[in-house]
Structure formats: structure tokens, C-alpha cells
């Protein structure tokens, strides 16, 4: 398991509803999220959408400009992780237990990639998530994701 | 979705300072140094960066297996499942892919990532790839 999220609790206002836009300013602008420059796009009760702009140094093949698939994994990891806190209404420390991606088609050269993470079920310790990535039209997805996050105690948070 | 070149690592891997550091049992070992750009929570690797390292190792393993067979086929990734087992700390991380089965139409590949102890993986992945034979002019 990867404790892969910044310590957000100190940065999130107390007694305030979870704000994905605010949290992305930390997760999406710091470390690996900052390298990929993840942007907040929107959210609902149980979903969060983020986006990454195409960049030459993020491609898998210089001839085609197709985006590296791992960029989509990182995007879906952050979007699904944030969808749990959004559904919960507050931050809780958690790590990714597993994540699966089905690649329906490549993300083409120059295209911005969007990742929508959805938390479809929550238990005391597990967040069940799914999601999809697209290039601007959610009806034309390029990848589907599913996974689970496990809540961790203060010891590793 | 990965159409990587058989020779050399793709721009994404080079951007994260990945390099081929060793070759064990017919598959390249890929190393990735710890840096802010692969960091998730302070002091720990981001799951996406670990996944990227696993995918690069898997692709490198298939290309080497194809070359060993004298094949110039390309590959296309169908899916990946990653299990995260331990937090990756601020050390060098390594990954190696193992081609479980290389058929004419698809390949089953596993990859594992570790830091100080290869018997204690921080993450493992299972991938499926389509094998794409190069198109012949005029056929």
C-alpha cells in the first residue's frame, strides 16, 4: 500500500465541507501531481474531475505523441482518491490498495486528458471507486478505471 | 496504449529519470531515483509514479522477449492492474517485468517494484498487451 497523499489535514479548514478545488491546489501542484500539473475541473456529490494538459515530455512514443498510459493512472489515482473525500464530506487518511485501468484507445497528441473519479461505495475502512478518462467528451472515454482505497490510522497518515 | 520504441526509454520515463540499470533473467531492470516529481505524500512515492515504473519495466521486458524471438512486432497495452503493498520511501526504486506468456496475438506480463529488498515488493502489476505485427507495404 502506498501512503501517497500529502498531509492535507493541516491545510484544510476545520469545520468546513471538503473542497476538492482547494485540495487539488495541494495534491495537484505538489510532487508528482505538480510535475503533471493536474487541474481541478469540477465535482459533484460523489465525483471529482481533474485534467492534465498534453506535454511533449509525457508521451510514450515521440513519433505519434501518444500520452504515456501511466499519466492516465496518476490522474485517475488522484481523481478517485478525492472522490472518496468528496462523498464523505471530509478528509480521512487513506492509501491506494489497488487500481485497474482498461485502455480503450490512446490519448492523442496535443489533447488534454480529463479524469473523472467516482466513489460508488464507502465503508468504515474501504472506499470503492471507479472512473473514466476522456479528451473533452465524456461520452467518448479513452480509459476506464476501478479500484479500492483503504483508510489508514494516524500512525501512517 | 503504449507504443514505445524497442530501443531506448520513452520521453515519459526519461522525464522521471528512469534508466536501465541491470538485466536479470532476460529482462531489463529499470531504476527510478526518488525526487519531488515522483513524490505523493511528503517523503513517499506517488502511486502513479510507481505504476509508471512498472509499466515501463513491463514494456521493456516484452520488447526484449520479442527481439529474442527475432520478432519486430509492436505492442499495444490493453489493461493493467496494480496492487500497492508498501509505501515507497525516499530511496531508489527498481522494477522488472516478467513475460509470463508471449503468444502471437497477446502477451501476459507481470512486473514488480522494490526498493532495498527485492523479496519485499512495494507494488506489483499484471498487464495484457496486444502483439501487433508490422504492416507490410502493398499487402
Amino acid at each position: 500500500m502506498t501512503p501517497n497523499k500529502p498531509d492535507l489535514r493541516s491545510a484544510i479548514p476545520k469545520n468546513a465541507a471538503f473542497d476538492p478545488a482547494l485540495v487539488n491546489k495541494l495534491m495537484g501542484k505538489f510532487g508528482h501531481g505538480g510535475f503533471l500539473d493536474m487541474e481541478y475541473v469540477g465535482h459533484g456529490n460523489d465525483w471529482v474531475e481533474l485534467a492534465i494538459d498534453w506535454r511533449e515530455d509525457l508521451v510514450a512514443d515521440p513519433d505519434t505523441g501518444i500520452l504515456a498510459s501511466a499519466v492516465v493512472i496518476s490522474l485517475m489515482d488522484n481523481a478517485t482518491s478525492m472522490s472518496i473525500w468528496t462523498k464523505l464530506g471530509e478528509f480521512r487518511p487513506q492509501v491506494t490498495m489497488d487500481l485497474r485501468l482498461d485502455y480503450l484507445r490512446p490519448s492523442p497528441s496535443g489533447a488534454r486528458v480529463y479524469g473523472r473519479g467516482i466513489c460508488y461505495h464507502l465503508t468504515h475502512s474501504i472506499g470503492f471507486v471507479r472512473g473514466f478518462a476522456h479528451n473533452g467528451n465524456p461520452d467518448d472515454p479513452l480509459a476506464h478505471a476501478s479500484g479500492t482505497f483503504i483508510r489508514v490510522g494516524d500512525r501512517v497518515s | 496504449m503504449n507504443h514505445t520504441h524497442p530501443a531506448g526509454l520513452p520521453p515519459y520515463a526519461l522525464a522521471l529519470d528512469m534508466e536501465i540499470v541491470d538485466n536479470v533473467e532476460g529482462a531489463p531492470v529499470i531504476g527510478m531515483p526518488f525526487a519531488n516529481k515522483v513524490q505523493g505524500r511528503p517523503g513517499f512515492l506517488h502511486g502513479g509514479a510507481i505504476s509508471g515504473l512498472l509499466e515501463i519495466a513491463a514494456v521493456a521486458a516484452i520488447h526484449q522477449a520479442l527481439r529474442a524471438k527475432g520478432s519486430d512486432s509492436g505492442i499495444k497495452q490493453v489493461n493493467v492492474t496494480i496492487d500497492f503493498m508498501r509505501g515507497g520511501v525516499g530511496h531508489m526504486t527498481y522494477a522488472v517485468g516478467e513475460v509470463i506468456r508471449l503468444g502471437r496475438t497477446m502477451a501476459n506480463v507481470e512486473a514488480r517494484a522494490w526498493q532495498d529488498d527485492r523479496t519485499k515488493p512495494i507494488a506489483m502489476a499484471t498487464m495484457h498487451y496486444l502483439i501487433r505485427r508490422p504492416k507490410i507495404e502493398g499487402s
Side-chain angles (χ1 to χ4, degrees), chain B residues 86 92 94 112-122:
Chain B
R86 292 176 176 87
M92 190 80 181
Y94 304 94
R112 73 161 58 199
W114 72 94
Q115 292 191 315
D116 296 329
D117 184 348
R118 203 186 156 184
T119 65
K120 290 181 177 166
I122 62 166

Side-chain angles (χ1 to χ4, degrees), chain B residues 17-67:
Chain B
D17 299 323
M18 294 181 198
E19 57 177 342
I20 298 169
V21 294
D22 199 359
N23 206 294
V24 289
E25 291 157 18
V29 177
I30 314 292
M32 181 178 74
F34 189 80
N36 181 54
K37 61 190 170 187
V38 294
Q39 188 168 215
R41 186 174 73 88
F44 291 85
L45 283 173
H46 191 283
I50 299 172
S51 306
L53 179 64
L54 288 163
E55 286 198 340
I56 296 299
V59 168
I62 302 184
H63 281 313
Q64 187 153 323
L66 285 169
R67 280 202 303 277

